[in-house]
């Protein structure tokens, strides 16, 4: 069924035409407040789960009948029933289509979706957000909803957090789509323009949030700004567009790991830019770095670690002026020299190699702090990227000119129907409703949780922490459990790898497979046993991700990973591991949000399997220094003679630090959205609105 046969009016006034999308309207404060009150009352007095259970039960009652029907009859029935079911967008009318796709999944994938997965798919089709615990099968849940939407003729984008997951999920679900006569495309960052366009023409498209938003911005630049659907249609009919548009509009989006995409990554607008001119002269950047190196923290400049920002103190600007007195060119202009030295200070003190970026093949590549992955093709603005290149002794790249920008908040609100799923949404449910109008529905688990959570430990120093981590890893291996050790940065993963390897005269530091390190067999390695192997998964080993993940659940496996292993990673347990207690997940540093910690812990004890979770952190971890410095200093003095602090101190520190970080980041997202709307309104006067 083509999209033209399906009415796109789903209950609100929508923009129609060649590029359907919802109008971007800034909701008045009183309307937002009233909607928030109604949302809280509904959550309290009108639970969604009973209705969803009734739908799943009704679908189950049709199962025996459908098992007797042919493949062709199942396809015919779904194509007939899907448009009305999707148009209604209510769980009560979804029983038949859910029963049909369940039977299709059983035949095409040899998997029978659980009732929880049917309930999750119904939540998605309703345009809400399903909170499903990690391991509950969100990939199949999204596939069920996408199949029904695709059969109804509604172009569907399944949005994931990285290219690996987009390709994997599309490959896993393609047999289900093909069973019902549908096709799916995959879009990734380096795909050619025409190949992207063809992928977006498919009924179902898997893509990352980054690729999707940038492709949308490219279409807007191609169309000459945010024009009306009628104008865009006229331009295309008369051949006035320089190239065909990539997207068909913003119809229906299923956002996987929705809290990561819609909340965590929403602090910074996405900017589409193009290289312009020649690379800048490196001399000025080197001079700026030399001057910045002479300035003293606390005297000439100050750092706000919580906001990751830097400012000049009263003595700072005079010192810069004096240092640049005999330099010519831009150094004679106050604003120019202050900008250069300011960026040099940021490059030296705020942006660190193997934490905020990595250097690969002679280029600086930004690392996403939430996913631990390289952001392909991204660069910092205002000369900061070139300053970091100068700091690393690399050739400077060309500066970029901004073509278009938009925040995730404004982009995803333009979908005619938006849905999402994640394992961790409860903490940000109010913001998701306020900004995106998404109701969070918390679904029950298919099987009881069998995770064993060990008491967390707080050590005084980093060295003590790594020693304790090494001992804990050895203990889990002795018990026969594979271990996944989570770190916050590439630098931390490398540091822990060195601790685990514990070099000795008889040890070696590398093995044939990517990211693999052989632990030494000297006296320091007795706990880990002779030649124990561990593997490292970070932004440097992203090419080996699938291989590393596939072996992480094997007996005796030790995997050290950044946040790359925290979302969407399904670690299958090897033979005998279940009987030994499952996968052990060890957290070595808390993140700014407890949601991210829960995602990492959720790699173990999935779908009723056993598992072990433990946390070993240090008093001087970055999160405590940045967001709970006063409490950290107090505990440091109070327990000066203790190597390990009491558990109540750790809990108090964690709550204080993560609470402060959460409030700060929420305020930053509100400011980002407000600034983006203001800029959009200003550009609208010039006819360049996005």
């Amino acid at each position: 069924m083509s999209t033209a046969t399906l009415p796109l009016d789903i209950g609100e006034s929508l923009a129609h035409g060649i590029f359907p999308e919802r109008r971007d309207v800034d909701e008045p404060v009183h309307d937002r407040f009233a909607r928030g009150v109604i949302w809280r009352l509904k959550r309290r007095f009108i639970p969604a789960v009973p209705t969803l259970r009734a739908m799943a039960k009704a679908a189950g009652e049709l199962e025996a009948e459908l098992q007797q029907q042919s493949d062709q009859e199942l396809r015919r029935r779904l194509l007939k029933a899907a448009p009305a079911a999707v148009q209604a967008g209510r769980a009560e009318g979804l029983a038949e289509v859910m029963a049909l796709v369940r039977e299709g999944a059983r035949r095409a994938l040899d998997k029978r979706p659980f009732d929880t997965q049917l309930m999750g798919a119904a939540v998605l089709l309703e345009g809400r957000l399903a909170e499903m615990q990690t391991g509950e099968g969100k990939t199949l849940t999204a596939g069920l909803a996408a199949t029904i939407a695709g059969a109804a003729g509604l172009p569907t984008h399944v949005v994931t957090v990285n290219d690996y997951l987009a390709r994997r999920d599309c490959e896993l679900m393609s047999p289900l789509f093909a069973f019902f006569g549908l096709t799916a495309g995959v879009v990734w960052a380096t795909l050619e323009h025409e190949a992207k366009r063809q992928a977006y023409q498919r009924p179902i498209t898997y893509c990352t949030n980054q690729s999707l938003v940038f492709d949308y911005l490219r279409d807007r630049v191609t169309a000459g700004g945010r024009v009306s659907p009628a104008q865009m249609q006229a331009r295309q009919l008369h051949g006035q567009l320089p190239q065909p548009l990539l997207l068909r509009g913003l119809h229906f989006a299923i956002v996987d790991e929705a809290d990561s995409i819609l909340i965590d990554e929403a602090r910074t607008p996405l900017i589409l830019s193009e290289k312009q001119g020649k690379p800048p002269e490196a001399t000025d950047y080197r001079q700026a770095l030399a001057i910045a190196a002479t300035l003293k923290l606390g005297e000439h400049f100050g750092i706000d670690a919580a906001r990751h920002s830097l400012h000049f103190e009263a003595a700072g600007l005079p010192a810069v002026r004096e240092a640049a007195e005999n330099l010519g060119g831009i150094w004679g202009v106050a604003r120019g020299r202050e900008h250069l030295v300011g960026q040099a200070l940021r490059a030296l003190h705020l942006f660190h190699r193997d934490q905020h970026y990595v250097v690969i093949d002679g280029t600086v590549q930004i690392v996403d702090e939430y996913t631990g992955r390289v952001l392909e093709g991204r660069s910092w603005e205002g000369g900061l990227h070139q300053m970091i290149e100068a700091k690393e002794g690399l050739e400077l790249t060309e500066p970029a000119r901004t073509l278009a920008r938009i925040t995730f908040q404004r982009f995803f609100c333009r979908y005619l129907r938006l849905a999402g799923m994640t394992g961790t949404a409860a903490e940000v449910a109010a913001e998701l409703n306020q900004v995106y109008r998404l109701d969070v529905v918390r679904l029950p688990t298919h099987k009881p949780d069998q995770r064993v959570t060990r008491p967390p430990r707080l050590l005084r120093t980093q060295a003590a922490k790594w020693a304790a981590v090494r001992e804990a890893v050895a203990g889990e291996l002795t018990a026969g459990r594979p271990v996944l050790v989570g770190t916050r940065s590439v630098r931390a993963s490398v540091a822990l790898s060195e601790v685990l390897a514990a070099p000795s005269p008889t040890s070696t530091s590398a093995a044939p497979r990517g990211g693999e390190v052989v632990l030494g067999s000297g006296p320091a390695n007795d706990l880990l046993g002779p030649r124990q192997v561990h593997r490292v998964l970070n932004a440097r080993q992203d090419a080996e991700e699938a291989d590393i993940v596939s072996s992480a659940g094997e007996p005796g496996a030790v995997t050290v990973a950044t946040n790359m292993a925290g979302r969407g990673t399904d670690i299958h347990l090897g033979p005998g591991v279940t009987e030994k207690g499952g996968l052990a997940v060890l957290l070595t540093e808390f993140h700014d949000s407890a949601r991210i910690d829960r995602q990492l812990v959720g790699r173990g004890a999935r779908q009723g399997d056993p598992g072990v979770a433990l946390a070993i952190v240090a008093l001087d971890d970055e999160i405590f220094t940045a967001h709970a410095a006063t409490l950290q200093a107090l505990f440091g003095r109070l327990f000066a003679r203790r190597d390990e602090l009491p558990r109540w101190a750790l809990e108090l520190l964690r709550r204080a630090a993560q609470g402060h970080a959460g409030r700060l980041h929420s305020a930053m997202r509100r400011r980002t959205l407000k600034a983006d709307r203001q800029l959009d309104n200003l550009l609208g006067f010039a006819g360049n609105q996005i």
Side-chain angles (χ1 to χ4, degrees), residues 24 42 59 116 151 161 216-217 340 378 438 440 455 479 492 513 519 529 532 549 575 583 586 593 637 643:
D24 185 11
K42 285 175 62 179
T116 298
V161 292
Y216 174 83
L217 292 178
L340 274 174
R378 297 284 294 275
L438 278 175
V440 175
R513 294 193 296 171
L519 305 184
Q532 174 62 47
V549 169
L583 177 71
L586 201 164
S593 172
R637 292 192 297 269
D643 293 330

Side-chain angles (χ1 to χ4, degrees), residues 595-651:
R595 292 178 292 104
I596 303 176
D597 297 334
R598 288 204 286 135
Q599 285 285 351
L600 179 64
V601 169
R603 297 314 97 195
R606 299 164 70 85
Q607 294 188 1
D609 286 334
V612 174
L614 62 158
I616 301 176
V617 300
L619 183 62
D620 56 352
D621 280 347
E622 181 182 350
I623 184 173
F624 301 141
T625 302
H627 298 287
T630 302
L631 196 58
Q632 178 195 50
L634 174 63
F635 286 160
R637 292 192 297 269
L638 185 62
F639 302 104
R641 302 192 177 200
R642 296 181 58 169
D643 293 330
E644 183 169 348
L645 280 66
R647 200 180 310 162
W648 65 263
L650 170 57
E651 185 62 17

Side-chain angles (χ1 to χ4, degrees), residues 229-312:
Q231 289 173 311
M232 190 179 292
Q233 188 165 10
R235 291 180 184 183
Q236 183 155 338
L237 289 174
H238 292 286
Q240 295 177 343
L241 298 180
Q243 60 183 354
L245 298 177
L246 290 166
L247 304 174
R248 289 189 285 169
L250 305 181
H251 301 260
F252 179 37
I254 299 173
V255 183
D256 192 12
E257 305 299 352
D259 61 319
S260 176
I261 293 173
L262 303 180
I263 298 295
D264 294 334
E265 297 191 40
R267 284 190 287 159
T268 306
L270 281 83
I271 299 173
L272 180 67
S273 60
E274 66 177 2
K275 300 293 185 181
Q276 61 174 10
K278 298 180 180 180
E281 176 56 49
T283 303
D284 289 335
Y285 288 81
R286 296 195 185 101
Q287 288 173 335
L289 289 167
I291 292 174
T294 66
L295 302 181
K296 298 179 181 179
L297 178 62
E299 179 181 350
H300 299 110
F301 67 95
I303 293 176
D304 186 338
R307 291 175 171 80
H308 202 245
S309 62
L310 181 147
H311 61 273
F312 283 106

Side-chain angles (χ1 to χ4, degrees), residues 81-92:
V86 171
Q87 179 76 19
R90 295 176 61 84
E92 293 89 338

Side-chain angles (χ1 to χ4, degrees), residues 39 62 97 129 250 255 341 492 500 631 677:
W39 169 74
L62 296 172
V97 292
L129 191 148
L250 305 181
V255 183
V341 175
L500 293 177
L631 196 58
R677 288 193 185 280

Side-chain angles (χ1 to χ4, degrees), residues 225-534:
R226 194 178 184 199
V227 298
S228 70
Q231 289 173 311
M232 190 179 292
Q233 188 165 10
R235 291 180 184 183
Q236 183 155 338
L237 289 174
H238 292 286
Q240 295 177 343
L241 298 180
Q243 60 183 354
L245 298 177
L246 290 166
L247 304 174
R248 289 189 285 169
L250 305 181
H251 301 260
F252 179 37
I254 299 173
V255 183
D256 192 12
E257 305 299 352
D259 61 319
S260 176
I261 293 173
L262 303 180
I263 298 295
D264 294 334
E265 297 191 40
R267 284 190 287 159
T268 306
L270 281 83
I271 299 173
L272 180 67
S273 60
E274 66 177 2
K275 300 293 185 181
Q276 61 174 10
K278 298 180 180 180
E281 176 56 49
T283 303
D284 289 335
Y285 288 81
R286 296 195 185 101
Q287 288 173 335
L289 289 167
I291 292 174
T294 66
L295 302 181
K296 298 179 181 179
L297 178 62
E299 179 181 350
H300 299 110
F301 67 95
I303 293 176
D304 186 338
R307 291 175 171 80
H308 202 245
S309 62
L310 181 147
H311 61 273
F312 283 106
E313 300 287 0
L317 296 182
V320 172
R321 183 176 64 251
E322 182 179 350
E325 191 171 3
N326 297 322
L327 302 176
I330 195 173
W331 295 102
V333 181
R335 181 171 296 181
R337 64 173 176 260
E338 291 165 10
H339 176 74
L340 274 174
V341 175
Q343 295 293 56
L345 287 170
R346 292 179 180 90
L348 292 172
H349 299 284
L350 296 182
F351 293 86
H352 306 296
R353 184 170 179 169
D354 291 338
Q355 180 177 359
H356 303 102
Y357 64 92
V358 292
V359 177
I360 301 176
D361 297 330
T363 62
V364 171
Q365 300 192 31
I366 301 174
V367 175
D368 189 325
E369 64 176 306
Y370 295 107
T371 65
R373 300 176 186 276
V374 167
L375 296 175
E376 296 284 350
R378 297 284 294 275
S379 62
W380 286 293
E381 289 185 290
L384 176 61
H385 202 87
Q386 288 72 26
M387 191 65 72
I388 291 176
E389 290 170 335
K391 182 184 80 170
E392 296 293 341
L394 305 174
E395 292 186 8
L396 272 58
T397 56
E398 307 97 310
R401 178 175 70 92
T402 297
L403 298 177
R405 56 178 281 159
I406 196 170
T407 59
F408 279 123
Q409 295 99 317
R410 290 181 58 227
F411 171 75
F412 281 105
C413 284
R414 294 180 178 185
Y415 270 92
L416 305 186
R417 186 175 299 187
L418 176 65
M421 54 185 185
T422 183
T424 50
E427 297 92 335
V428 290
E431 184 172 348
L432 287 166
N433 179 265
Q434 182 183 55
V435 177
Y436 300 98
R437 301 189 181 187
L438 278 175
D439 290 334
V440 175
V441 179
R442 196 168 194 173
L443 297 176
T445 58
H446 174 61
K447 294 180 180 179
D449 187 2
Q450 296 191 47
R451 180 179 294 108
V452 175
T453 302
R454 301 257 175 81
R457 299 177 61 190
L458 176 61
L459 284 301
R460 174 171 293 280
T461 64
Q462 294 293 313
K465 176 177 76 172
W466 294 134
V469 168
R470 177 185 170 83
E471 184 179 354
V473 169
E476 297 302 327
L477 290 176
T478 301
R481 287 184 285 272
V483 186
L484 173 65
V485 188
T487 62
R488 279 194 64 169
S489 66
V490 174
R491 177 186 298 180
S493 68
V494 172
L496 177 56
S497 177
E498 293 173 353
V499 170
L500 293 177
S504 69
T506 59
S507 68
T508 181
S509 61
R513 294 193 296 171
E516 187 172 282
V517 179
V518 179
L519 305 184
S521 56
N525 294 281
D526 290 343
L527 285 174
L528 292 172
R531 296 186 63 79
Q532 174 62 47
V533 172
H534 75 275

